Structure formats: structure tokens, C-alpha cells
Amino acid sequence: MQLFELRGRSHHADKAFGWITIAAAGLVLVILGLVAASMTQRALPVLEKMGPDLFTSSKWSAAEDHYGLLAFLFGTLYTAAIALVLAVPVSLGVALFITQVAPRWLKKPMVYLIDLCAVVPSVVWGLWGVLVLSQHFGLGRSFLTAGIILAIMITPIITSLAREVIETTPLTDKEAALALGATRWEMICATVLPHSKGGLVGAVMLGLGRAMGETIAAALVIGSALGQITANPFAPGNSMPAVIANEWGEADDLHKSALIALAVTLFALTIVVNLLATWIVQRGRRHA
Amino acid sequence: MIAASDLHAKPSWRSTRSKLMTGLMIAAVAILAIPLIAVLYAVVSRGAGVAFDAFPAFFTKDIPAISRREGPGMGPAILGTLLVTGAATVIAVPLGVLGAVYLHEYGGTRKFARAVRFMAMVMTGVPSIVMGLFIYVMWTMRFGYSAFGGALALACLMLPVVIGSTEQMLRLVPTQLREAAYALGASKSRTILTVVLPAALPGIVSGALLAVARAAGETAPLLFAVGAAKAFNPHLFTEANTALSLQIFNSDLAFPAAESRAWGAALTLVALTFLMTITARVFTSRFALKR
Amino acid sequence: MAVAQPRPRPSNPRILVEHRSAAAVEDTPVVFEIGDAAVYYGAFRAVRDVSLQIHEKQITAFIGPSGCGKTTMLRALNRMHDTTPGAKVTGKLLYHGVDLYGPQVSAVEVRRRIGMVFQKPNPFPKSIYDNVSFGPRVNGIRDRAKLDELVETSLRSAALWDEVKDRLRTSALGLSGGQQQRLCIARTIAVEPEVVLMDEPCSALDPIATARIEELMRQLKSQFTIVIVTHNMQQAARVSDRTAFFTAELDSKNDQRTGILVEYDATAKMFSNPADERTENYITGRFG
């Protein structure tokens, strides 16, 4: 037998397949790079015109060609904060119920329920928010209504992440606490929560990222008021993604550039939040 | 000796607190379920009438050109949703699976693989409206509105999700299986294509289905790419198209007729996404490798 | 295998106790009175027909091959099976004459009195001090001085005080395996239980650490009733007063292996002159 026969016929095909998979994986980096580059380029005109006012002014007027996104940034953070305050206790409660309390037969249906909550399209939540929540329950279109809808939308996401984290608590730790005469709640406080701390914070951060980027439901229920910076949750307001969705249709060139600047800001914000979340999760994993 | 009552539960603050917290957990489950039940009730009670009134007219007829006019019609939107979602699936699933194959079978802990894995995680967090605008800048500005632009935007959103779920499934395939194939003289690519991927297939399919279900309900990425047609458009690459989610978002809720059509569209969309989610779950529990 | 033969009636421990030889141990009061106990996991019967008495301030060892139900039986004694979905305990299990599974009996109260040390050392991811003080704290001791004192006496009893007294605030996970297991023992005795159950406490430790734990058990015997599960016959012979030998039996009807109690007697008698042939085979190493 000659040496080259050992290489076999499929040698080249094998190599090629490997390269194809690398290309597919690299696509992720290419897309993210293109998103950052192309969008920033399109946002430059408005940045040139407005300068730092773009971020420090809360006046947004297409008629006067004056674009300041501060009020929308506020609205994004405010509604996301309302959503977190409402969603985190519920998510944690449900995750603990599924992992620590529910009998075995109930676990699967519960996971299905959460899946279904997560898959209801945001436009349907928006429609329900406008026609049922804000009209029937008299909440109107406001920061609070948007916060509630966002909370409903991020609860299943936080819950399923929290459930996965909590389930990694070693059974031996839990048994140790119970064998010392701890009640279920004491066991949870002593073992489950400290063990999952990092992962839970990460789950909440990912929920925060999702809440900030959620567009359609917010666009339908937030009220589309310009320049609102107020702590009053019943006031109508606006958030960055909602402005983009609502104003894109009738925007001229500079206006479009301003909306893209909003998208770039949102992109940067969610990336920071997600990086922070990943970092916290990984740090928690290392300490566990 | 001890008395029998020594072992009985005593009404102490400790046991009360534990019960109280358990009660709060159950309350949390109720709070989670209430909006879901409420939205399903609203969608079914307000949407079923218009959707099934002159069955199957709602699913086949054109959308009325004038919003305030009574009558059915979401056919073009249903076609558009299927077209956009289908094309996105065809683009994102093979690429995502190949990317995951690289990460797990080739890359491992290499720097490039770690970077891709990390960035895929970051990419899942990118708001869908940002992806929509990105596709507007890259595609729509050059080639105009079409179903394909929407499909590209959805594919960008699905790609990292498919990569993540597929890599998890590949991790469950036992190493012995790969070694058995190598020992029979199979090349790496052959082992992956004929042994590893088939073993992980059920999990990959259900992960992909979940991603598709989520994408089918998206609105924001389609806003800038698909347009707002009201007539049937079976062409993938040309002319403005529409989708169920877009029709709901754009419907003029001041008119009762438009509102009821929106509820009908919502019912159709929810049914479509639930069907895919449930199929995915059944698939997982029936065929998937156990963790 | 010996177990395939037609099974003689399971030995009745009470008869054995009455016919004790000169090697008999002192008859201290009965702590556990177990009659015809069985444990099920769903439809699977893990262990059955267990009848024995465990005496106060003595060390009772459960020995036998893997899968013979000795750990399962041990966990039935402090209701640890309550945390396993689908597990069920039947038969008579009296603790000082009180039915452990009686309708009003609380698992939390039971476990406060009947502590447990697990196979793998499982300290909480907290400081050494917080590990030992966890039990007293959940049981309502808040007084700092009292806690300090309890931590010290418990660590002294567990022969760990001198090694850790200068680093009580450091993480328990920094201790060696043997130290961790002694910490778990200290944590268990800090709640001042009456009984300490030990589930193969040395199986994860090296011979030197094992010897220290065995020495510790002999010391603790004056204060606590100890039940230990071990697959190490020499260990049972070295430390225990009484030994129960379990084995697994194949049920030809459904092809399931169920654990049974073969023989229970004073350790000296079990290891010198066992009544049952299967015990003798196992002890002399002719088993399976």
C-alpha cells in the first residue's frame, strides 16, 4: 500500500465541509459588525446636525428639524424599570414553584404554560393592551400600561432562565438543609438562592434587555407623547423603539437618520446590558 | 422518652412563614396565568366570529382596500406570513445548524469559537426593530419592499437562537457514538452528517420550530422591509407584501370592521404560533435525547 | 448466587435478640421500632420486610451489597423520602413509640431530632461559621454569644475546632474532604439532635480521614444514637455495636431487585457466628 492511499478520497470533501461550518459560524460576527457599521454611518447626518444635543435635549420636532432623544431614553428606561419591578417577583415565584413545590406531574404542564406565554406575538399583546387593558380597565395609554404589558412579556423569559439556573442547585445541598430541620422556605433561602444568585441576576438582566428593545406592544400602548420626562406612571410617554415604529412611515431623510440614531443608541444600550448579564452569569458559575 | 405531640407540626412563625411563601409562589403562578387566559379569551371571543363567519372566506379573500368596510379577508396576510417565515427558516436553520456544528465539533474552546459563541449570545439580545432597520439599510434601500427582505430580517433574529439550541443538542450526543463511527473508518464530515446530526435531529428540529414560532409573530423587523400590500403577492423577491402581524399593527382601530379583522388576524397568528410551539414540545418529549 | 434459592422467612430480629450469645451488647432503651417496613419509588419496591430495633447511644450499622436498600431504609428514618417525588414508606416505623409517618407528624420536627450526614461532604457555599450556625439559627437562636458557643462546642465535638478556629469566616469549600465531612458532622450536631444518621460518611475520604471520622463516631456515641450505612465491612466491625445485613433479591415475576433484611444482631456475633448462610458468605467475601 502506498502512503497517499491512507489519505483517502474524501480528504478534500472533509476539509471543505469544515470550512463551510466555519463560514456559517463567522456569519454571526459579520452580521453584528455590519449592523454596527452600517447603522452608525446612517446615523451620522443627524449627529452632525445636532451634536451632543441629540442625547441631552428632550425636544423632538420633525417640523423644526430638531431631534433630542433624552425623553425617549427616559421612557425606555422607565417602562423597563416598571416591567422589572412587576416581573421579577412573579418570575422568581413561578420558578421556585416549579422547581421546589410542584408535584412531578405538574412540572411539564407548567413549562408548557410558560412556553405558550413566551410565544404570544407582541402585536397581540399590544392589541389586547390597547383594546382591553387601557380601554376596559381605564389605564389609558401610559408608562404604566406599557410597563405592565412589557412585564407580561418578559415574565416567561425570566422565569424559564431562572428555572434552569435554580435546577442546577445540587440535591445534596438541599438535603443537607432539610436534614437540619429547615422548613422549605429556610432551605430555599439557605441553599437555592445563594447558589443561583449570579444566574438569577443574569436572567433579570436579559429580561431588562428584552424589555428595553420591545417595540410593537410598547408602540401601541405607551401613548406617543413627545418630550415627557415625568415620574407619574399614568402619564402618556414614549420609548425609543416605539418612536421608530410609529414615525418611520412619514419620515424624511434627516428624520430617518434621527430614527436610526435612536436604533443605534438602543443597540448599544442592549449590548451593554447583555454583556453585563453574561459577565454576571459567568462569574456566578465560576463561584458556584 | 418523647411525647407524641413533640413531633407534631407546631404553629410557629417558621412553619407559617414557609407556608406563606409557598402560598405566594402559587399566587405568582396565578398572576402568570391570568394575562395568558385573558388574552386567549379576548382573541377567541372577539376573533372567532369574523374568522369563521363565512368560512373559509376570511382565510382566502383579499383584505378590503378601505378599512371601514365590513367583511372578511386576511388571505394575503396569511400567505405573506407563511412566505416570509418559510423563507427565513430556509435561510436561518441550515446556517445555524452548520454554525453550531463548527462550534461544537470543530471549534470547541478555540478563541474564534469562543468569540462566535459569545457574539451569538449578544446577538440574541439585539432588539428586533434594530434588525429591521439594519435590513432596511442593507436591502430595502437598494431592492425595495419584498417578502424576501422580511425573511432576511427574521433570519438574522433566528440565526443565533438556532445556533444556541443546536449546540446544546450536539452536546447531548455521546462521544462514544462519534468514536464508533471513526473506528469504522468514517471521515469527520461523514461522521457528523450521518451519525451526529441524525442522533441530534429531533432536538434540533424542536429548537428550530420554537425559533420559527417566535419569528412568525414578529412585527417590528417586517415594518421596514415587507411593505403594506392588501392584495395577494405570491412573489418572494418582488413587490410589497404583507403579514398577519403587520395587518394587526396597521389596522385602523377606530373602525369596528377593521378592529374585528385585527382580532381575526390575531386569532390566526396565535393559533399558528401555538401549533408550532406545541409540536416542538411534543417532538422533544417523544424523540429527543434525554439530558 | 445464593439469593436465587427459595427464600426462608426473613429472620425475626426479636427472636435473635432473645437468643443472644455472650457477645451481646447492653440493652439500652429502644429508639426506633421498625416492623415490616417497605419503601417504594413509584411502583418499584426498593426494600421490604425490614423489622428491627435501634437502641439508644449505640452505633448501629447497615451493611450489604449495592442496591440492597440500606441507604433507602436509612433515609426512611428521618423522612428524607418526603423530598423524593413518588417515594412512599409503608409499615411500622416508631420513634420512641411515636409513628414517624403519623398524620400530624411534621417532617421538619422529625429532622430536627434526627439529623443526617451524607455520603459526599456537602457544606453550604458559606463560611465555616455560617455552616455550623445554620441549624441553630433556623431553630430560632439569635443570641450572638449563644451561637458562638454552640459553634465552638460543635466544632470541638467534631474534632475540627483546632484546625479551623482561626478561619471561621472563610469559605467552607476551602477545607479538605475529610475536614468538610467533619464540618458536616459539626453542623448536624449543632442542632442537638438525638439521633445522627450517617450515609456512607467515609466513602469519599482517604484512609487517614476515615480513621478520624471513625474515632469521632466512637466519641459521639456517648451523646447520640448513631445509625451508619457502610459498604465497608471492616468499618462496621470496628465501630458498630449492632449490625444489620441487607441483600438484594431478584423477583422472578417482574425482574426487579428488591432489598431485604437478612439478619440483625450484635456486631460481634454477626462477624463471628452469623445465623444466616448469606451473611456468612458476604462477610467472608464469597458473595456474588
Side-chain angles (χ1 to χ4, degrees), chain A residues 14 17 21-22 25 28-29 42 115 119 121 123 131 155 181 184-186 215-216 248 256 263 270 274-275 278, chain B residues 14 17-18 21 32 98 102 106 116 118-119 121 125 127 129 133 136 141 163 189 217 219 224 263 277 281:
Chain A
D14 206 35
F17 181 77
T21 65
I22 290 186
V28 169
L29 305 181
R42 296 276 161 188
D115 273 355
V119 85
V123 70
L131 296 176
T155 299
R184 175 151 59 206
W185 178 245
E186 286 159 354
T215 308
I216 295 302
W248 187 262
K256 275 193 173 139
T270 48
N274 280 304
L275 289 182
T278 317
Chain B
R14 293 180 52 213
R17 184 177 51 183
S18 191
M21 294 322 273
L32 175 85
L98 283 173
Y102 168 75
Y106 292 88
V116 169
F118 186 72
M119 284 305 169
M121 207 138 63
I129 191 155
L133 270 184
Y136 176 84
M141 282 179 72
I163 289 180
S189 57
T219 316
F224 321 111
W263 284 112
T277 310
R281 280 299 163 194

Side-chain angles (χ1 to χ4, degrees), chain A residues 172 175-176 178-179 181 190-191, chain C residues 75 83 108 111 122 124 134 187:
Chain A
T172 53
E175 289 190 331
L178 290 174
T191 61
Chain C
R75 290 166 64 91
T83 62
V108 172
R111 295 190 200 119
N122 56 353
F124 301 128
F134 173 82
R187 184 176 67 183

Side-chain angles (χ1 to χ4, degrees), chain C residues 9-21 23-35 49-63 70 73-74 77 225-228 236 240-247 260-271 273-280 283:
Chain C
R9 253 199 68 71
S11 346
N12 185 333
R14 208 162 309 160
I15 295 172
L16 286 169
V17 169
E18 280 163 18
H19 293 276
R20 267 186 329 217
S21 66
V25 288
E26 197 191 338
D27 241 345
T28 54
V30 173
V31 177
F32 288 102
E33 166 89 47
I34 301 165
D49 292 344
V50 177
S51 299
L52 52 80
Q53 293 171 324
I54 290 167
H55 292 258
E56 195 170 55
K57 306 219 164 120
Q58 290 185 349
I59 299 180
T60 304
F62 289 181
I63 62 168
K70 51 193 193 299
M73 200 58 231
L74 187 80
L77 296 182
T225 305
I226 296 176
V227 185
I228 173 178
S240 74
D241 299 293
R242 293 166 199 267
T243 300
F245 171 62
F246 291 75
T247 193
I260 52 164
L261 174 66
V262 175
E263 189 174 357
Y264 178 53
D265 208 330
T267 301
K269 169 143 191 310
M270 286 284 281
F271 280 88
N273 183 21
D276 195 292
E277 192 193 350
R278 289 170 291 177
T279 315
E280 184 161 9
I283 284 166

Side-chain angles (χ1 to χ4, degrees), chain C residues 1-7 248-250:
Chain C
M1 220 164 71
V3 287
Q5 295 161 1
R7 184 174 62 87
E249 198 175 60
L250 193 67

